[in-house]
């Protein structure tokens, strides 16, 4: 059995999906939205099965919340589809139009990547969002969601698949993978699958990267930094730090390390330690931070103030994904930059400063997908960037970097229109190139 | 010893190279051109050593021609550098400018990839072209050229490296790798090297792809097709086929398979077999082609006409890189498209037809980096596309596809300018996003 034959067929079908007009693709999205609305009771019933199974497995309440697909989530995904329909067509855009010579015209035109495998966490709304992005961008997709929502995934997939086929998409343009062995089969589809997008834990993404020759887009780590500069507005710094740590602690764009300019440390660190204590965040400082806190008396009466504190080694900067944050003092913005480029994961890093020249230096030299001034690292997200939706966040520098929306699911091809030209004539000097850029769209 | 420590240093230096102004980068290119001119006698002397060694090894004349670095090649590389200086800056371009909310501005800005390893064939001009492209695009580079030109590579590298450092580039921004064991070390530099570009034989590129976690940009195969449609101008078809096969037979963009519309086969195939015979190209046809040639008497008097012919199996379509070409009859453009997507390597494929609707269908549905109408596949090249130079041709669909010039050496980062914004306020409804696109550059 297995899915490889289906993937082989998908590869041959994919150029025909790529050729569908934006009218057809948007009409398919409309059908998807209508079908989800029409069959919502069936979806909710399947979701109840998943929730019951989760309860039996004693899965934590916070996780169960993600598994749920109710009227609210339904409204959200349908609103998301409507937004996607409103977005301009990412395909068929001429990004280069050049006359190479009389009667020899080169166009570079955007087109879908082709066949994409997406492996995502147990969140039914992700199933809808990801398939919608693929439909809008003319890509074929193999979809594998978390097993904790397998019943919900299956019915959502069936509804979506039926809707796009009824809208004129070719059969086999979407595929549901359900077992772990199918992931391994998928990883083996080099030459058939053009891109794999894994979402999930570090170790899972690493596993994918280590076990396939297919290009992988994603991020394994999210060690994000906030640097509090000497010229920081400290009233801004504290709420930004708390937001970046607590608004969604398990997210890849949550802050993990605070770098504090030494010249403001005596004033800022006590404020910080109070705020962290109040928010229940453990502070993990280097020796210099310990000594300062000790000297300032912040480590006294820990039981009373609620401060949780631990000293860490000079190289022990981790992704906690928990209510813990590292802290280190630095001499200036350059030491902060150097620390981030050395210990960071090139995801998203923020500077708190009122000095725009220092901010410029930080944002130029920090080698990350997102470099921020005076705001929370949690803004690194496709919705918040106005992309309508995202398939993931990339820390790779190739193709797509940062939150990946429609544009990241698109590549291009070169179309060259001639009238009998051969290269020999240009090599011999009989003909000459006359490059002239024409109007792009 | 090894190069890993140098690469680690390069990684930390790379943001500073990325921050150099285009004035500094162009000035460095000018210094490189001047230094090559000033030290040309030394370069020629080192090149003589390589040529003498090649002669001793009985290396074929055609290959020795590539190894040579003389006054002509010098003129070419200096002209190339001048062209690069004239090209607009690929860095610092705003490709997205969006207000997310009052006082919260998102910019997407182009920047260098960072650290690039390029492994290229024994051609001294390639050393100059590749390092110039990296200098213009603000990238650090580890350069490994073919061993047959090791003396020339070494002196060229020293001259280039000295020139850029004297122009204000940081030390360690360029690195020469000389031994094969250093290639293996390079492949092991995941996390330090952002991209590897291998040029060379299929098996070499496959080796690189199979032995590193670093993203690889390149192409392993070049199985290019020409489809001669029912509506072809046969007078155009023959010269295009001959050019695509003979103008540079060993190139990846040389044609390997001819697909011929069945309805014109009786007229076209004899013309084709005559032209191929005259050009010394062996024709390798499927059974149907054999039978047709036989029926038409083209296989008689082979000694006299010079036709070299062999029948191939229905699935035996190869990259010959030699004066050989496969041929098969197809029913229509759709069968041609299907054949190309199934057996091709997604490199460059051309249709010969005067029917623009059929051409559109072909160019839409063939899933290749280059899709051409009425011209030779040999046009797939950075110079011929007007890119000034190329670092290689990519058959990957991610990041860069087709000939890769300056634009392929560039990525982007997101810069977000805030004034204290936190995500919690947007999640709670206290604040709302007000997306508004600002003017891009």
């Amino acid at each position: 059995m297995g899915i490889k034959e289906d993937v082989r067929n998908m590869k041959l079908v994919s150029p025909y999906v790529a050729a569908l007009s934006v009218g057809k693709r948007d009409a398919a999205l409309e059908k998807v939205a209508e079908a989800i609305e029409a069959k919502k009771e069936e979806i909710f019933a399947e979701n109840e099965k998943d929730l019951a199974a989760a309860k039996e497995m004693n899965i934590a309440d916070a996780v169960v919340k993600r598994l749920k697909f109710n009227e609210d989530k339904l409204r959200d995904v349908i609103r998301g589809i409507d937004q996607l329909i409103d977005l301009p067509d990412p395909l068929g855009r001429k990004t280069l139009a050049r006359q190479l010579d009389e009667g020899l015209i080169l166009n570079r035109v955007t087109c879908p990547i082709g066949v994409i495998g997406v492996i995502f966490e147990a969140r039914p709304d992700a199933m809808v969002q990801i398939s919608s992005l693929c439909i809008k961008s003319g890509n074929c997709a193999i979809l594998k969601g978390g097993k904790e929502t397998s019943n919900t995934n299956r019915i959502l997939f069936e509804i979506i698949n039926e809707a796009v086929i009824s809208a004129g998409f070719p059969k086999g343009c979407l595929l549901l993978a359900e077992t772990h062995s199918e992931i391994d089969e998928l990883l083996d589809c080099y030459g058939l699958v053009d891109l794999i997008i894994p979402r999930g834990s570090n170790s899972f993404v690493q596993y994918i990267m280590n076990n396939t020759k297919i290009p992988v887009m994603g991020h394994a780590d999210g060690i994000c930094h906030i640097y509090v500069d000497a010229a920081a507005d400290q009233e801004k710094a504290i709420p930004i730090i708390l937001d970046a740590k607590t608004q969604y602690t398990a997210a890849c764009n949550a802050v993990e390390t605070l770098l504090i300019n030494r010249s403001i440390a005596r004033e800022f660190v006590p404020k910080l330690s109070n705020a962290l204590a109040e928010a229940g965040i453990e502070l993990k400082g280097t020796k210099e931070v310990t000594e300062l806190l000790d000297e300032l008396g912040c480590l006294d009466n820990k039981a009373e103030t609620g401060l949780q504190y631990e000293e860490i080694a000079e190289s022990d900067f981790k992704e906690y994904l928990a209510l813990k944050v590292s802290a280190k003092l630095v001499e200036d913005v350059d030491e902060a930059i150097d620390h981030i480029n050395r210990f960071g994961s090139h995801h998203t890093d923020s500077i708190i400063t009122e000095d725009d020249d220092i901010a410029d230096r930080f944002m130029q030299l920090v080698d990350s997908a997102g470099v921020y001034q005076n705001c929370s690292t949690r803004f690194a997200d496709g919705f918040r960037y106005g992309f309508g939706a995202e398939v993931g966040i990339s820390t790779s520098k190739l193709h797509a970097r940062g939150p990946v929306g429609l544009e990241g699911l698109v590549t291009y091809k070169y179309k060259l229109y001639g009238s009998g030209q051969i290269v020999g004539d240009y090599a011999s000097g009989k003909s000459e190139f006359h490059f002239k850029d024409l109007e792009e769209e």
Side-chain angles (χ1 to χ4, degrees), chain A:
Chain A
M1 287 296 291
I3 58 167
K4 198 156 186 179
E5 266 319 301
D6 292 332
V7 175
R8 202 182 299 281
N9 175 55
M10 183 180 275
K11 178 77 180 168
L12 293 173
V13 158
S14 66
Y16 295 88
V17 176
L20 293 168
S21 70
V22 67
K24 278 221 163 163
R25 283 177 272 126
D26 283 341
L29 286 175
E30 271 169 36
K31 289 218 173 207
V32 169
E34 285 163 20
I36 289 175
E37 177 70 46
K39 298 190 179 166
K40 64 182 181 183
E41 295 307 333
E42 291 170 57
I43 303 170
F44 296 158
E46 291 299 314
N47 188 243
E48 283 302 326
K49 291 187 198 167
D50 288 327
L51 294 177
K55 229 162 244 173
E56 234 166 74
M57 307 269 287
N58 282 319
I59 289 178
D61 277 358
V63 177
V64 171
K65 221 172 117 187
R66 290 209 211 173
L67 309 183
K68 192 174 277 180
F69 193 78
N70 54 14
E71 196 77 45
D72 277 357
K73 295 264 181 93
L74 183 120
R75 290 278 79 78
D76 283 349
V77 300
I78 287 183
R79 201 178 307 130
I81 294 174
D82 288 342
Q83 281 175 5
L84 267 180
I85 292 172
D86 288 341
L87 284 180
D89 188 9
L91 306 182
R93 286 196 308 122
K94 269 187 214 167
T95 58
L96 181 93
R98 179 175 290 165
Q99 181 175 300
L100 306 184
D101 191 9
E102 190 75 29
L104 190 61
I105 306 291
L106 181 70
N107 286 336
R108 183 172 61 202
V109 183
T110 59
C111 61
I113 287 177
V115 176
I116 300 177
V118 191
I119 309 166
F120 52 98
E121 64 278 27
R123 266 183 44 207
D125 41 341
M127 167 67 94
V128 183
Q129 284 159 8
I130 293 166
S131 45
S132 304
L133 279 166
C134 290
I135 293 164
K136 177 80 182 195
S137 58
N139 282 290
C140 292
I142 303 126
L143 302 155
K144 167 73 178 77
K147 62 180 182 313
E148 297 83 358
T149 48
S150 58
N151 291 297
T152 322
N153 292 343
R154 198 176 306 122
I155 188 164
L156 281 172
F157 176 82
E158 279 165 14
I159 290 170
I160 295 168
N161 192 42
E162 219 169 80
V164 300
I165 288 170
S166 77
F169 275 52
K171 271 186 195 168
C173 67
L174 292 175
L175 202 59
L176 181 70
E178 298 203 87
T179 66
H180 197 84
S181 70
E182 287 174 334
I183 296 182
D184 288 330
E185 262 192 277
L186 179 63
L187 299 184
D188 198 37
C189 285
Y190 178 72
L192 299 176
V193 173
D194 297 300
L195 174 64
I196 291 185
I197 303 176
R199 317 196 326 178
S201 70
N202 281 5
S203 58
F204 174 70
V205 176
Q206 282 289 356
Y207 173 83
I208 300 288
M209 288 180 171
N210 289 338
N211 286 282
T212 188
K213 283 165 64 182
I214 301 168
V216 176
M217 187 157 76
H219 60 93
D221 294 299
I223 305 188
C224 299
H225 300 74
I226 292 177
Y227 165 58
V228 185
D229 184 51
D233 177 347
Q234 295 179 27
E235 301 306 308
K236 285 179 190 159
I238 299 282
I240 287 173
I241 290 168
L242 294 181
D243 183 81
K245 186 76 247 182
T246 65
Q247 204 269 329
Y248 189 173
T249 302
C252 58
N253 55 16
V255 70
E256 305 292 357
T257 304
L258 307 176
L259 302 170
I260 297 152
N261 191 290
R262 195 167 280 128
S263 68
I264 57 158
R266 296 185 72 86
E267 185 191 349
F268 182 70
V269 169
K271 287 191 211 170
L272 176 69
S273 73
N274 283 340
L276 295 178
E278 235 167 81
I281 300 165
E282 183 181 354
L283 178 58
K284 294 167 102 67
T286 59
K287 188 153 179 279
E288 190 181 2
V289 175
T290 309
E291 287 170 356
L292 181 67
L293 284 168
D294 202 17
E295 188 194 328
L296 297 174
C298 302
L299 296 183
D300 309 336
N301 312 323
K302 281 207 288 183
E304 209 168 290
T305 61
L307 178 65
Q308 302 168 63
Y309 185 80
E310 192 179 62
E311 186 174 313
I312 57 167
E314 202 55 53
S315 60
D316 194 21
F317 298 96
K318 286 191 189 132
E319 184 179 28
Y320 299 110
L321 300 173
L323 288 174
K324 300 174 184 184
V325 68
S326 308
K328 179 189 169 169
L329 307 189
V330 293
E331 190 53 34
D332 53 17
V333 67
D334 283 355
E335 192 185 341
I337 291 163
D338 192 67
H339 178 99
I340 294 170
N341 285 343
R342 205 182 280 263
F343 294 101
S345 65
H346 313 288
H347 191 298
T348 303
D349 303 290
S350 187
I351 181 172
I352 313 297
T353 187
E354 299 299 306
D355 184 326
D356 290 345
D357 289 338
I358 288 179
D360 276 350
R361 185 166 178 82
F362 179 91
M363 294 165 91
Q364 170 70 54
L365 289 171
V366 167
D367 185 20
S368 295
V371 282
Y372 293 3
Q373 180 188 11
N374 291 336
C375 52
S376 167
T377 53
R378 288 275 302 130
F379 280 102
D381 173 281
F383 289 96
R384 287 171 211 132
Y385 279 12
F387 296 170
E390 68 173 34
V391 286
I393 293 184
S394 166
T395 54
S396 162
K397 292 189 179 179
L398 294 193
H399 190 67
R401 202 177 185 197
V404 181
L406 277 181
E407 282 184 43
L409 299 180
V410 160
T411 179
Y412 53 78
K413 55 168 53 165
Y414 286 97
K415 296 185 175 181
L416 182 61
Y417 298 91
S419 42
Q421 284 85 350
I422 62 173
V423 166
D425 286 346
Y426 293 86
S428 70
K430 189 181 158 200
S431 299
E432 257 181 62
F433 287 107
H434 296 89
F435 296 120
K436 187 178 137 196
D437 281 336
L438 309 172
E439 204 154 323
E440 295 167 21
E441 268 162 31

